[in-house]
Amino acid sequence: MIGVLYGFLSIKNRVYASINSIDSAATPSYPKSEDDDDVVPMPMVMIDQDADPEATIVQLSFGNRLGALIDTMRALKDLGLDVIKGTVSTEGDIKQTKFSITKRDTGRKVEDPDLLEQIRLTIINNLLKYHPECSEQLAMGETFGIKAPEKKIDVDIATHIHVKEDGPKRSLLVIETADRPGLVVEMIKVMADVNIDVESAEIDTEGLVAKDKFHVSYQGQALNRSLSQVLVNCLRYFLRRPETDIDSY
């Protein structure tokens, strides 16, 4: 079972509005000013499986430019999901939108890692479509955006992998690397190939960088030092060489 753990940013002086009550025809795609043309905010997409026992929480922000996101909700429904609740919180120039979603066929939260990655990529695709100015700050802007990122991330430099103690039954795997489509699923496949079980995960996309955390175990126990090193080596080898076949390491 995949659960996503994400600690939300602390926000003060929040102003809330229900997305379900927003009229899409009366809501512009995003407010715009002269300053908006000069500084493009960093797009952020976060997924949380633990905040609500019944639903998957998806939170995204792009400065103050996001509108009602009606098209994003429709795209999520096309994945077989229901958006059961939506809120918008604002602090200063940052607007954060949060959805509660469930699988339509079961009414339960999303647990399949492939579907979680589809959710992430669907949201990013919609950001690129309706806010093309964000393409310079997203890895997918290289292929699908109007303008590729000017500053490329060196995968060798950007990749950091650590395994930390997290009790006797599991370990915490922390990965920071250059983002790319399918990254979460690829990393979980690498772990499965060395018989590591993923109990929960935090999926965090911050512009061009993926910052993910996984609670992992081996046969119901925390990873020992040698197994941790094997896992780190396999992931580092794969992440730094994305064209490499998984079976080759």
Side-chain angles (χ1 to χ4, degrees):
M1 179 181 295
I2 302 295
V4 178
L5 309 170
Y6 170 65
F8 285 111
L9 296 175
S10 176
I11 299 179
K12 299 178 181 178
N13 300 323
R14 292 182 175 180
V15 179
Y16 291 95
S18 172
I19 289 178
N20 299 330
S21 65
I22 296 177
D23 184 354
S24 61
T27 306
S29 60
Y30 59 87
K32 192 173 183 180
S33 67
E34 292 181 0
D35 292 338
D36 289 338
D37 293 330
D38 298 328
V39 179
V40 177
M42 177 183 291
M44 300 181 68
V45 179
M46 288 147 279
I47 300 176
D48 178 5
Q49 283 287 72
D50 285 351
D52 188 326
E54 304 296 333
T56 296
I57 306 299
V58 177
Q59 184 167 320
L60 59 153
S61 64
F62 185 48
N64 65 351
R65 303 188 179 197
L66 296 181
L69 299 176
I70 299 299
D71 293 286
T72 297
M73 288 191 284
R74 288 172 179 164
L76 292 174
K77 289 182 178 180
D78 289 341
L79 295 177
L81 305 168
D82 284 330
V83 180
I84 60 176
K85 183 181 179 182
T87 59
V88 176
S89 61
T90 302
E91 180 190 18
D93 294 332
I94 303 297
K95 179 188 293 184
Q96 295 186 336
T97 303
K98 182 164 63 176
F99 299 124
S100 297
I101 59 178
T102 58
K103 293 186 65 176
R104 185 176 303 126
D105 57 349
T106 65
R108 300 172 65 91
K109 65 171 59 181
V110 180
E111 297 178 349
D112 179 15
D114 292 275
L115 186 51
L116 289 171
E117 180 69 347
Q118 288 184 56
I119 292 169
R120 186 179 77 95
L121 297 181
T122 295
I123 292 172
I124 292 175
N125 272 325
N126 273 267
L127 278 171
L128 289 169
K129 181 177 180 180
Y130 296 103
H131 300 278
E133 71 274 18
C134 76
S135 66
E136 293 182 68
Q137 299 207 50
L138 288 168
M140 290 177 62
E142 180 80 34
T143 304
F144 303 105
I146 59 172
K147 187 175 181 181
E150 293 182 359
K151 295 182 179 180
K152 311 294 183 184
I153 292 182
D154 187 315
V155 177
D156 286 335
I157 296 176
T159 299
H160 304 282
I161 307 171
H162 305 282
V163 178
K164 304 179 180 179
E165 294 183 0
D166 192 34
K169 299 295 185 180
R170 65 183 188 179
S171 301
L172 179 63
L173 171 65
V174 180
I175 302 174
E176 181 173 333
T177 190
D179 187 31
R180 63 176 185 261
L183 179 63
V184 174
V185 175
E186 291 171 357
M187 291 190 294
I188 291 176
K189 287 180 179 178
V190 170
M191 288 181 252
D193 282 353
V194 291
N195 299 316
I196 301 298
D197 295 321
V198 179
E199 299 179 4
S200 63
E202 172 188 319
I203 302 172
D204 190 346
T205 305
E206 298 183 10
L208 299 171
V209 179
K211 298 180 179 180
D212 300 326
K213 296 179 182 178
F214 300 90
H215 284 108
V216 298
S217 63
Y218 175 72
Q219 297 183 348
Q221 299 296 318
L223 277 58
N224 59 32
R225 182 173 299 180
S226 60
L227 189 53
S228 295
Q229 192 59 55
V230 169
L231 177 59
V232 169
N233 290 344
C234 289
L235 285 166
R236 181 177 289 116
Y237 182 82
F238 181 73
L239 291 172
R240 289 180 172 181
R241 295 162 179 80
E243 73 281 356
T244 302
D245 192 303
I246 292 177
D247 295 333
S248 66
Y249 54 74

